[in-house]
Amino acid sequence: MSDSDPLGGSPFGEGFSFEDLAKMLGSLGGLGGPAGDPWAQARQIAQTVATEGRSEPNLDPKVRMAVEDLARVADLHVRQLPTLDLHPEARVRAVTRSTWVSESFSAYRPFLERFGEAMGEANSAMVAEAGGADPMAAMFGQMFTSMGPMMVAASAGSMIGHLAQHTLGQYDLPVPREGHEILVVPTAIDDAAADWAVSVDELRLWVLVHELVAHAVLSTPHVRRQMDALMMDFAAAFRPDPEKIAGELGDITDFGQIAELSQQLGDPDTVLGLMRSPAHDLLLPRLDALVAVVLGAIDHAVCSICEPLVSDHAAIREHLHSRQVDVAPADKFMERLLGIDITDATLRRGRAFIDGVIERADEGVLTRLWADELDLPTAAEVDAPGLWLARIGLDPEMPGGTTFEIPDDLSGLDDA
């Protein structure tokens, strides 16, 4: 099975007829249909990719204890930050890659299922609308409806498996998770420390601080609600466009081309690109702004802790920055599905907002980001921190900022 063909080869053979195609599409079914449970298969794919098909040993108890000892140090420092509120039940758990896959599959599955449902609904409507007037549109719609969910599940399994090969914790992508258990992968951390020629203990501590800070931000109720809602809406907004599909994939004049078509549809980038809708253009500014602020706040907090604590801080931060923006195509699937596009510009934008707020007011003002959903900055305010400060009632012209409170009782105010 190749990365570009997550379904393990074309289901089409030579001498294929339209009647054969109709029978095949009718027998495949959707998620949980006669073809079996694609999600069980996807989980198996993820485990195989993560471990490269080999048996993974249990985590060394000494390594687990060392990580837990450092986790207590990281936890103490994060809880001392006045701008963040780490949940009392937050705790770090050191796991193997296989365990990370199992836990992460459950976290990502709701988004993947929503994408599959939306795709099925849209394709069914497309088939009904086409009717007999446009056999090609009907065929594409039926093909996406029947095969799409399996492609999504198989691609998701491959994607999660690839992420597990090198992920250091659970917040490589800023996707909120249930509960307050925070996963780190010591094997991956140790491998990265060797590759980057940095201290293992320092990289472990840096990663632990990052994961705890990220959890403090992403588990904030209104931040989590916003992130979940925007990413779920983005995943649900994909809509097949028959004209675009035909234009990109070319006209099919004989069914010998069906095998080539199935190869193209096995590429998740192709599938998602053919299903981009105008709704995505409306969602992206809000999602980009929120992701930038979240990543900027996390980076600021991690730097404030690790700069005086970790001698290899600058090198570690530079390596991890490169990992965030230089993502392999196999790992881009989830980002594209959820609308998360982490680039140099994203990271600079988020950090510029945080720095701008601190320069105009003080660091304590950052607590307002996590106080209320209405206090989250708009896309325009992320690029103009002064506008955000003014809207939440802080005067950027006054040293340290001053709050303007509207009194509950306005009856005593002069009409003039």
Side-chain angles (χ1 to χ4, degrees):
M1 184 182 307
S2 69
D3 295 342
S4 61
D5 186 6
L7 297 178
S10 170
F12 306 102
E14 295 181 3
F16 210 75
S17 68
F18 190 87
E19 183 179 359
D20 294 330
L21 177 63
K23 289 179 180 178
M24 184 199 71
L25 293 175
S27 66
L28 280 174
L31 288 172
D37 180 8
W39 295 108
Q41 299 169 14
R43 190 183 294 269
Q44 184 176 3
I45 291 171
Q47 294 283 0
T48 301
V49 173
T51 60
E52 297 181 332
R54 297 190 292 266
S55 177
E56 187 178 25
N58 293 329
L59 201 60
D60 187 335
K62 292 181 179 178
V63 172
R64 187 187 303 275
M65 291 175 60
V67 170
E68 290 174 353
D69 288 343
L70 283 173
R72 285 190 285 272
V73 175
D75 185 275
L76 177 64
H77 283 277
V78 173
R79 292 187 190 279
Q80 289 177 343
L81 285 177
T83 56
L84 292 178
D85 185 17
L86 182 61
H87 195 278
E89 296 179 9
R91 71 179 186 90
V92 171
R93 177 183 167 203
V95 298
T96 61
R97 289 184 171 96
S98 296
T99 302
W100 188 94
V101 164
S102 297
E103 301 287 345
S104 299
F105 206 92
S106 299
Y108 290 131
R109 180 168 171 172
F111 302 106
L112 295 160
E113 286 183 323
R114 186 66 192 97
F115 169 67
E117 291 167 4
M119 185 165 63
E121 294 164 2
N123 290 333
S124 296
M126 184 172 71
V127 172
E129 183 179 348
D134 189 347
M136 188 62 67
M139 184 193 74
F140 277 130
Q142 185 67 23
M143 182 180 295
F144 270 81
T145 300
S146 300
M147 295 180 61
M150 291 187 295
M151 289 179 182
V152 172
S155 297
S158 176
M159 178 277 303
I160 292 173
H162 278 97
L163 286 178
Q165 288 182 345
H166 57 73
T167 189
L168 307 182
Q170 70 181 31
Y171 290 120
D172 281 17
L173 292 179
V175 178
R177 299 209 182 193
E178 292 278 355
H180 296 287
E181 189 173 67
I182 303 161
L183 308 180
V184 296
V185 187
T187 305
I189 295 172
D190 295 357
D191 290 345
D195 290 341
W196 302 342
V198 299
S199 163
V200 170
D201 286 338
E202 291 203 341
L203 181 56
R204 287 176 180 172
L205 181 58
W206 201 101
V207 170
L208 289 165
V209 169
H210 176 273
E211 295 300 296
L212 287 164
V213 167
H215 184 74
V217 172
L218 292 169
S219 64
T220 302
H222 67 274
V223 175
R224 178 177 177 178
R225 283 195 303 270
Q226 279 263 18
M227 291 287 284
D228 280 345
L230 286 170
M231 290 188 295
M232 194 70 78
D233 287 347
F234 195 92
F238 286 95
R239 293 289 185 272
D241 183 339
E243 293 183 4
K244 188 174 181 181
I245 292 170
E248 290 289 330
L249 302 181
D251 295 329
I252 297 178
T253 56
D254 65 78
F255 286 96
Q257 295 173 276
I258 292 290
E260 182 180 350
L261 171 62
S262 71
Q263 292 278 345
Q264 290 176 276
L265 295 181
D267 178 3
D269 266 357
T270 298
V271 173
L272 296 184
L274 293 175
M275 299 175 66
R276 187 68 177 260
S277 76
H280 289 126
D281 297 329
L282 299 176
L283 290 167
L284 270 179
R286 296 171 59 198
L287 188 51
D288 285 346
L290 183 57
V291 168
V293 169
V294 164
L295 293 179
I298 291 171
D299 183 56
H300 172 74
V302 171
C303 287
S304 67
I305 293 173
C306 290
E307 276 182 335
L309 200 63
V310 177
S311 60
D312 285 334
H313 165 72
I316 291 171
R317 184 170 178 248
E318 182 63 29
H319 281 294
L320 289 172
H321 174 95
S322 297
R323 281 165 55 103
Q324 278 185 300
V325 299
D326 297 330
V327 180
D331 299 338
K332 268 286 186 184
F333 177 66
M334 182 58 74
E335 293 187 34
R336 293 199 61 189
L337 182 68
L338 301 181
I340 301 173
D341 186 19
I342 302 176
T343 64
D344 279 317
T346 307
L347 299 178
R348 287 196 304 270
R349 185 187 187 196
R351 191 57 193 262
F353 171 79
I354 299 298
D355 291 343
V357 168
I358 295 172
E359 289 169 5
R360 289 168 174 80
D362 59 52
E363 189 162 354
V365 174
L366 296 178
T367 59
R368 292 291 296 271
L369 289 170
W370 326 124
D372 186 88
E373 188 165 0
L374 295 176
D375 286 342
L376 288 174
T378 64
E381 291 168 349
V382 173
D383 298 317
L387 293 179
W388 179 72
L389 289 168
R391 180 173 65 82
I392 64 172
L394 292 174
D395 185 353
E397 299 300 324
M398 296 295 292
T402 59
T403 58
F404 173 75
E405 299 291 344
I406 300 176
D408 295 330
D409 183 7
L410 302 180
S411 60
L413 293 179
D414 190 285
D415 288 343

